[in-house]
Amino acid sequence: MTADISPHVLRTTAPVLDCAARLFAEHGSRGMPMSALTHRIAADTGIDTASLRRAFPTRFDLAFAVVLRSTRERVNGQLAEDDVRACPTDRMSFLVRRHVQTGWEHRSATALREEILPVLRAIDPPRHRDITALTRTYREHVREIIVGGVASGAFQVRDAGRTADDVLETLDSVLHWYEPDGGLSLPDLATVYVDLVIHHHLKSPR
């Protein structure tokens, strides 16, 4: 028996969005008709197809829900787990490790976000603002840690905002080259990036 769930609940239901993210990763954002996506998700999750159609009338609605959920989890998770009492170096090290881990886990949604953001800007500004507001919050969080490190003497940079942008660009570069089968584990990769961010971007003395 399939479950008939309200559209509001479905838009944040993890199994549905996890399945959708996997299908988008396998077939591309335009590789499957919406009817095929709906049937595959229904078969894999046990959710009623009619409920899925009400929640996600179009493939773009489904892609947006995947991206919004992923972005919220990454941003809100970091904010919730950050220890503001820790020293800036430890806070940044934790952020880098978490960013590398969650970035890899959400790599499909991240790639999808980069694809749909320009479209959202043009055709659906409110949804575009929903996502960009989250990314600005994350960027400001990174900048705030850097400002604290500069004030304490741990970091030696002049422009905390520009450095925050450089740090985030560096962290997101993981998605473009990392291969788990290449001999470098994800925790070891995170350690490499901690060193790169702390000592190169933030110029913390060794």
Side-chain angles (χ1 to χ4, degrees), residues 98-151:
R98 190 179 187 281
H99 190 107
V100 169
Q101 178 68 42
T102 59
W104 187 250
E105 292 172 355
H106 291 263
R107 60 193 180 278
S108 298
T110 300
L112 190 61
R113 183 185 69 196
E114 298 309 309
E115 181 180 345
I116 71 169
L117 269 179
V119 182
L120 284 175
R121 184 185 295 113
I123 69 171
D124 200 335
R127 283 183 170 180
H128 183 267
R129 287 193 295 270
D130 285 343
I131 295 175
T132 55
L134 287 165
T135 57
R136 283 197 301 270
T137 296
Y138 192 76
R139 187 259 190 190
E140 177 59 24
H141 175 68
V142 174
R143 192 193 71 83
E144 180 266 323
I145 295 175
I146 294 172
V147 168
V150 171

Side-chain angles (χ1 to χ4, degrees), residues 87-89 145-156:
C87 71
T89 300
I145 295 175
I146 294 172
V147 168
V150 171
S152 70
F155 305 151
Q156 308 296 322

Side-chain angles (χ1 to χ4, degrees), residues 16-35:
V16 168
L17 300 183
D18 287 342
C19 182
R22 185 178 71 253
L23 292 173
F24 282 134
E26 292 173 358
H27 303 279
S29 63
R30 300 179 180 87
M32 295 179 70
M34 188 59 191
S35 58

Side-chain angles (χ1 to χ4, degrees), residues 5-13 17 51 54-56 65 72:
I5 301 175
S6 74
H8 175 73
V9 172
L10 265 183
R11 291 186 192 110
T12 56
T13 299
L17 300 183
S51 298
R54 288 197 299 272
F56 310 109
R72 277 178 174 163

Side-chain angles (χ1 to χ4, degrees), residues 21-206:
R22 185 178 71 253
L23 292 173
F24 282 134
E26 292 173 358
H27 303 279
S29 63
R30 300 179 180 87
M32 295 179 70
M34 188 59 191
S35 58
L37 280 168
T38 300
H39 285 296
R40 280 288 301 276
I41 294 169
D44 289 355
T45 64
I47 301 298
D48 181 72
T49 55
S51 298
L52 288 169
R53 292 191 193 101
R54 288 197 299 272
F56 310 109
T58 70
R59 187 168 43 198
F60 198 77
D61 293 319
L62 183 59
F64 171 74
V66 168
V67 169
L68 183 62
R69 192 278 299 258
S70 170
T71 307
R72 277 178 174 163
E73 284 190 358
R74 294 191 67 187
V75 175
N76 294 340
Q78 170 61 33
L79 295 180
E81 295 181 27
D82 175 48
D83 183 359
V84 296
R85 299 166 299 180
C87 71
T89 300
D90 288 346
R91 291 179 71 194
M92 183 60 72
S93 297
F94 174 80
L95 182 144
V96 170
R97 292 185 184 280
R98 190 179 187 281
H99 190 107
V100 169
Q101 178 68 42
T102 59
W104 187 250
E105 292 172 355
H106 291 263
R107 60 193 180 278
S108 298
T110 300
L112 190 61
R113 183 185 69 196
E114 298 309 309
E115 181 180 345
I116 71 169
L117 269 179
V119 182
L120 284 175
R121 184 185 295 113
I123 69 171
D124 200 335
R127 283 183 170 180
H128 183 267
R129 287 193 295 270
D130 285 343
I131 295 175
T132 55
L134 287 165
T135 57
R136 283 197 301 270
T137 296
Y138 192 76
R139 187 259 190 190
E140 177 59 24
H141 175 68
V142 174
R143 192 193 71 83
E144 180 266 323
I145 295 175
I146 294 172
V147 168
V150 171
S152 70
F155 305 151
Q156 308 296 322
V157 298
R158 293 184 178 181
D159 188 332
R162 179 175 295 179
T163 303
D165 292 335
D166 291 342
V167 167
L168 290 172
E169 183 178 352
T170 295
L171 293 178
D172 287 339
S173 71
V174 170
L175 304 178
H176 302 299
W177 68 268
Y178 177 63
E179 292 291 342
D181 297 331
L184 187 66
S185 70
L186 202 57
D188 288 342
L189 176 68
T191 297
V192 170
Y193 271 78
V194 167
D195 184 79
L196 178 63
V197 168
I198 297 296
H199 300 298
H200 175 70
H201 286 298
L202 302 177
K203 305 187 187 307
S204 178
R206 292 184 182 276

